[in-house]
Amino acid sequence: MIEKEELIDYWIKSGIVKNKSIIKAFRDVSREDFISGELVGQAYGDYPLPIKCDQTISQPTTIVIMLEALELKKTDKVLEIGTGSGYNAALISKLAEFVYTTEFFEELADFAQENIEKAGIKNIEIIHTDGSMGYSKEAPYDKIIATAGCPSIPEPWIEQLKEGGIIVAPVGKWYGQRMLKIKKIKGKLKEENLGSFMFVPLRGKYGV
Ligand code: SAH
């Protein structure tokens, strides 16, 4: 069984995580609280695990790569697309001011709500909606993160991002995507490719 501290050691030694507050967030949030009974023993395996509705909780290393790229600040208002178990939102909640997280499946939105309440986290709002259209009600956001693969970056996300803001999202069809970090500078987009990853597909209006 892989232990939490082994993963942390690997991230520090390999340089994957530089921001110490990400390590602290990972220590503070228990991944085992966001997965179902029989998988709890695998909580710190460095791979995705199944949750409800044929979806997955992302691989820990993938999550920290995305969190590092988001350059989160304590004052940030963040939008997440793809709540799933609520685990990633819980990590972000420790690094930002508030997280709005959208989930397509009601059953998962409810599952995440329970998990977040159990974890005693207050600065997250879960919205059962099609997050491919963003969430205009609380826009604009400092940061936007998607944990489902998008065919291309949906226009509403760009509109709902603040000037100087960052989007991190896997882009590409089906299960092979490029992780893009996009910065909005003077209305223009500066794109960086963080490598290849595998995510479940984004659904909804701007989905696959
Ligand atoms: N971040 C999650 C993992 C998410 S897996 C965690 O930490 O557990 C991707 C999630 O995106 C799935 O739950 C899927 O239902 C959701 N999803 C897919 N398309 C979506 C859409 N258009 N709007 C909101 N959620 C979506």
Side-chain angles (χ1 to χ4, degrees):
M1 195 171 100
I2 304 176
E3 299 295 337
K4 205 173 202 175
E5 293 302 319
E6 283 179 51
L7 271 178
I8 292 174
D9 269 1
Y10 159 60
W11 294 334
I12 293 173
K13 283 189 186 129
S14 62
I16 286 175
V17 180
K18 294 177 191 75
N19 179 352
K20 292 284 188 306
S21 54
I22 295 177
I23 302 284
K24 185 172 185 316
F26 188 72
R27 283 203 175 104
D28 287 352
V29 179
S30 300
R31 194 169 183 245
E32 49 271 48
D33 288 348
F34 295 82
I35 51 189
S36 315
E38 68 275 19
L39 294 170
V40 165
Q42 296 180 60
Y44 296 101
D46 200 14
Y47 38 82
L49 289 170
I51 47 176
K52 294 165 194 268
C53 308
D54 285 332
Q55 304 301 309
T56 55
I57 176 170
S58 310
Q59 175 181 359
T61 295
T62 303
I63 295 177
V64 294
I65 289 171
M66 294 178 87
L67 295 183
E68 187 76 42
L70 268 186
E71 301 177 20
L72 289 165
K73 294 194 187 73
K74 268 293 185 193
T75 50
D76 279 350
K77 178 160 75 162
V78 181
L79 174 68
E80 182 190 37
I81 294 91
T83 314
S85 65
Y87 177 62
N88 190 41
L91 292 172
I92 297 170
S93 79
K94 306 284 178 190
L95 302 162
E97 187 167 303
F98 203 90
V99 189
Y100 294 92
T101 178
T102 58
E103 174 51 54
F104 193 81
F105 291 108
E106 187 166 21
E107 196 182 341
L108 279 174
D110 293 345
F111 175 59
Q113 187 68 47
E114 274 171 35
N115 295 341
I116 276 159
E117 278 169 21
K118 259 191 284 165
I121 297 170
K122 307 264 186 265
N123 57 335
I124 297 179
E125 184 180 329
I126 299 169
I127 307 112
H128 168 225
T129 188
D130 176 9
S132 79
M133 309 205 343
Y135 185 54
S136 59
K137 190 166 164 237
E138 298 293 342
Y141 302 96
D142 297 287
K143 310 285 162 65
I144 298 179
I145 176 168
T147 57
C150 344
S152 61
I153 300 286
E155 204 48 48
W157 299 0
I158 296 165
E159 283 159 16
Q160 292 171 25
L161 184 69
K162 282 187 196 170
E163 169 61 31
I166 297 176
I167 299 177
V168 174
V171 177
K173 290 238 161 83
W174 296 101
Y175 291 91
Q177 299 106 6
R178 292 173 304 145
M179 183 74 73
L180 298 186
K181 171 176 179 175
I182 293 166
K183 251 190 181 172
K184 191 178 190 177
I185 302 166
K186 298 199 176 102
K188 290 219 170 90
L189 303 179
K190 193 175 150 265
E191 194 177 291
E192 192 185 328
N193 183 355
L194 305 178
S196 294
F197 291 85
M198 269 188 15
F199 280 82
V200 296
L202 182 77
R203 292 156 194 270
K205 184 168 177 207
Y206 291 86
V208 174

